[in-house]
Amino acid sequence: MNRLPLLAIAIFAAACGGASSGGGPSKEPAAPPASAGPASAAEPAPKAQDPEPAADTGTIPEKCADGQADGICAPPRNFVQTLCGTYPKPELALVMFSKKSPFTRVYMNRNMEGWYTSGTQSTSAKLIFDEELVVLTHLKVNKNGMVIGNGATPYDVLRLDGICSSVESEAITHKRPPSPKYALVPWQHLEKNVKDALLADAGIAGAETLRRKECKGTTSLGVVSPKCAGADDRLSKAIVDYVKNGGEVPTPKASH
C-alpha cells in the first residue's frame, strides 16, 4: 500500500533533476544585441547632393572659378552649363570678350572643325588659325588618373558668335598673334536691346547702314552676294573693335 506514494515521489524527483540539467533549454533571457553605433542601419541614409542650380545669364561672372589649370581664369561651371546648354548666345559672348572680362584668351594654331563634347550644345564650329577664344574650362591634370596622349586636359572654349567648342590642347596657343581673328558676329540674331546699344556707336551704325544696303533682298536660305558678305565682315569687325576697346554691351533679357 505504501509503494505508490514512494513511486510518485521518485518520478517527481527525476523530473525536477532533468529540468535542471545543462541539456535543457535556458530559461534566462537572451543578451541584448551590441549597439551598432553611429553607422547603424537604422539611421537614415545621407541625402544625395542637389544638382547645381542653373546660373543667371543676366549676371556675367567676374571672378575665376576654382579647379582650373595653372594660369587659367575661367567662369564657374554652372554658368558654363547655362551658356553652352542649348543654342548659341552671341550676346553673352560679346560681354565675355569685352576688354574688362577677366577670363583667359587663347588662340588656334591650326584650322579645324570642333564640337562641344562637354554638354548638349551640338553646333559645329570651323575654328580658324589665329582665332581668339575665351577659355570656359581647362581643368587641372588628375595625376592619379589614366594618361591619354600627352596627359593635358582639353579646352572648352567660346567663340565670338556664341558657339562653344572643345579643342585638344595641341591646337591651342597662349601666344597672341599680331592680328587675332574672330568668328563672325551674327548681327541678325542679336537681341534688340543689344543691337540698339551697339548702334549708338558711329562706326557700328555706319557699317550696319552699309550692310542693309548691300544685303537687301538676301534670301533666308543664306545665299548672299559677295558685296553682302563683305558688308557682314565689316560690321562684325566694327563690333569687335568696339568691344575690344572697352565699349559696353548690355546683357540679354529674360528670353535667355
Side-chain angles (χ1 to χ4, degrees):
M1 295 294 293
N2 294 330
R3 289 180 179 178
L4 288 176
L6 291 173
L7 181 60
I9 292 171
I11 293 172
F12 178 78
C16 291
S20 63
S21 66
S26 173
K27 297 285 186 178
E28 294 184 3
S35 173
S40 170
E43 286 192 5
K47 292 182 179 180
Q49 288 187 339
D50 294 331
E52 200 167 353
D56 175 16
T57 54
T59 303
I60 306 299
E62 297 179 352
K63 294 183 179 180
C64 309
D66 295 331
Q68 304 297 324
D70 292 341
I72 296 295
C73 178
R77 184 177 65 174
N78 63 339
F79 178 81
V80 174
Q81 290 172 338
T82 301
L83 177 68
C84 304
T86 52
Y87 49 85
K89 300 176 175 64
E91 298 91 349
L92 290 179
L94 291 176
V95 180
M96 297 285 284
F97 273 82
S98 68
K99 185 177 181 179
K100 67 179 182 179
S101 172
F103 305 118
T104 301
R105 274 41 165 201
V106 293
Y107 307 89
M108 292 295 298
N109 62 23
R110 65 194 68 180
N111 296 328
M112 64 172 286
E113 184 170 8
W115 294 85
Y116 185 57
T117 60
S118 300
T120 57
Q121 192 183 110
S122 58
T123 307
S124 66
K126 293 188 181 298
L127 298 112
I128 57 175
F129 178 71
D130 281 351
E131 181 177 349
E132 182 175 310
L133 308 161
V134 170
V135 176
L136 299 176
T137 305
H138 181 51
L139 300 175
K140 291 180 179 178
V141 175
N142 181 3
K143 296 181 179 179
N144 297 322
M146 181 182 296
V147 176
I148 300 175
N150 63 5
T153 60
Y155 287 79
D156 288 338
V157 294
L158 177 68
R159 306 182 78 213
L160 188 62
D161 57 6
I163 293 177
C164 302
S165 190
S166 300
V167 182
E168 293 301 318
S169 59
E170 294 87 350
I172 292 294
T173 178
H174 286 256
K175 185 177 180 180
R176 189 180 189 275
S179 299
K181 299 171 184 173
Y182 299 89
L184 189 71
V185 177
W187 176 258
Q188 291 178 295
H189 298 292
L190 296 179
E191 283 194 357
K192 184 178 185 301
N193 72 311
V194 175
K195 285 183 177 180
D196 290 345
L198 293 175
L199 288 172
D201 176 78
I204 294 175
E208 194 274 336
T209 298
L210 179 63
R211 182 194 175 278
R212 280 189 286 110
K213 175 183 176 182
E214 298 295 353
C215 298
K216 187 176 181 179
T218 299
T219 68
S220 59
L221 298 177
V223 179
V224 298
S225 67
K227 287 185 177 181
C228 176
D232 268 333
D233 289 340
R234 284 189 289 274
L235 175 56
S236 186
K237 185 180 183 304
I239 295 172
V240 169
D241 290 342
Y242 172 81
V243 169
K244 302 301 285 185
N245 288 320
E248 293 291 332
V249 179
T251 52
K253 293 184 177 179
S255 61
H256 284 287

